[in-house]
Amino acid sequence: MSINHIETEDLRRMEEKDGLILQGCGGELQEWLDGINEMFTENGILKNGAKFQDISAFEYDGLTCLLYPFEGVDLEIGKLAVWRLQTHDTFGGTWLSDFVPNRLGGFIGEPAPEPEKPDCALIGQDGNIFNLVGIAARTLREHGLTDQAKEMKDRVFASGSYGEALCIIGEYVNITDTEPERKPSLRQQLKETKTAEPSARLKPEKQQER
């Protein structure tokens, strides 16, 4: 296992890749690599004995951030999407594919227009899926994306799980909240942070027949 130190400009050259970015990672970086592997294994996010072997550290806006690349890692992406939403206040989790266009001006070799996906503050909202999709649809309509709002709702209500529904919403809006604070140590946070099932923390309801 290794930790590579990179610059934000290196992230802009990763247009063909994706991964999870955690922001405000204080303390020993090896502790973050080992701790996330342990946490994700316990919560069924990492499958079939998979582990993150190589991660990258970089500085952004005065914070130490870590990139956990998805390449070559067996992940349950729906569970990861739920975890990211539930723990955003603690870990500041975001996708590489969202971070680069919205924070760094886009990938190198691509034009840098305004972000395609509007920001939508879903973190901290009532986690009922009907509530979340309603807020996201309203945001899209406010940005003149009425067709995308309808398409997103149709896809969400046809999805097979809560995690899949969150992933679909994330394709249309950039899920946001307040800026993460610098955290001193992962181990200290793990003592207080446990990933609950969606029914315990987000409480989605069954989809009604439409």
Side-chain angles (χ1 to χ4, degrees), residues 1-3 22 25-39 55 66 68 91 183-191:
M1 296 183 183
S2 64
I3 300 172
L22 302 183
C25 301
E28 293 294 328
L29 298 185
Q30 185 65 44
E31 191 175 278
W32 284 87
L33 175 55
D34 297 338
I36 289 296
N37 276 330
E38 179 182 337
M39 180 189 293
I55 63 174
L66 294 176
Y68 293 77
F91 298 109
K183 304 297 179 182
S185 168
L186 175 63
R187 288 295 178 188
Q188 294 174 8
Q189 296 173 49
L190 289 179
K191 292 178 181 178

Side-chain angles (χ1 to χ4, degrees), residues 35-177:
I36 289 296
N37 276 330
E38 179 182 337
M39 180 189 293
F40 283 9
T41 298
E42 289 177 355
N43 288 281
I45 297 171
L46 285 170
K47 303 188 297 181
N48 301 318
K51 292 184 181 298
F52 291 103
Q53 298 292 332
D54 303 295
I55 63 174
S56 297
F58 62 94
E59 298 293 322
Y60 177 77
D61 198 23
L63 298 175
T64 298
C65 304
L66 294 176
L67 167 64
Y68 293 77
F70 293 159
E71 187 175 9
V73 181
D74 194 358
L75 287 166
E76 181 60 58
I77 196 66
K79 289 184 178 180
L80 178 56
V82 174
W83 179 89
R84 185 179 75 95
L85 189 64
Q86 292 175 337
T87 63
H88 188 274
D89 287 344
T90 302
F91 298 109
T94 187
W95 307 131
L96 172 66
S97 55
D98 286 338
F99 187 87
V100 172
N102 290 288
R103 302 290 182 87
L104 304 181
F107 292 101
I108 292 175
E110 295 182 351
E114 295 184 2
E116 296 180 1
K117 298 189 292 187
D119 288 347
C120 183
L122 294 182
I123 296 165
Q125 300 283 354
D126 176 359
N128 181 294
I129 197 64
F130 292 97
N131 180 58
L132 296 180
V133 77
I135 295 172
R138 182 168 63 250
T139 298
L140 289 169
R141 290 194 295 268
E142 289 172 351
H143 285 79
L145 303 172
T146 302
D147 290 343
Q148 288 89 333
K150 182 180 184 305
E151 179 182 281
M152 178 195 66
K153 290 174 69 174
D154 290 344
R155 290 183 61 199
V156 165
F157 295 139
S159 63
S161 69
Y162 187 69
E164 182 183 351
L166 286 179
C167 290
I168 292 170
I169 292 173
E171 292 178 22
Y172 292 85
V173 298
N174 180 38
I175 297 174
T176 63
D177 193 12

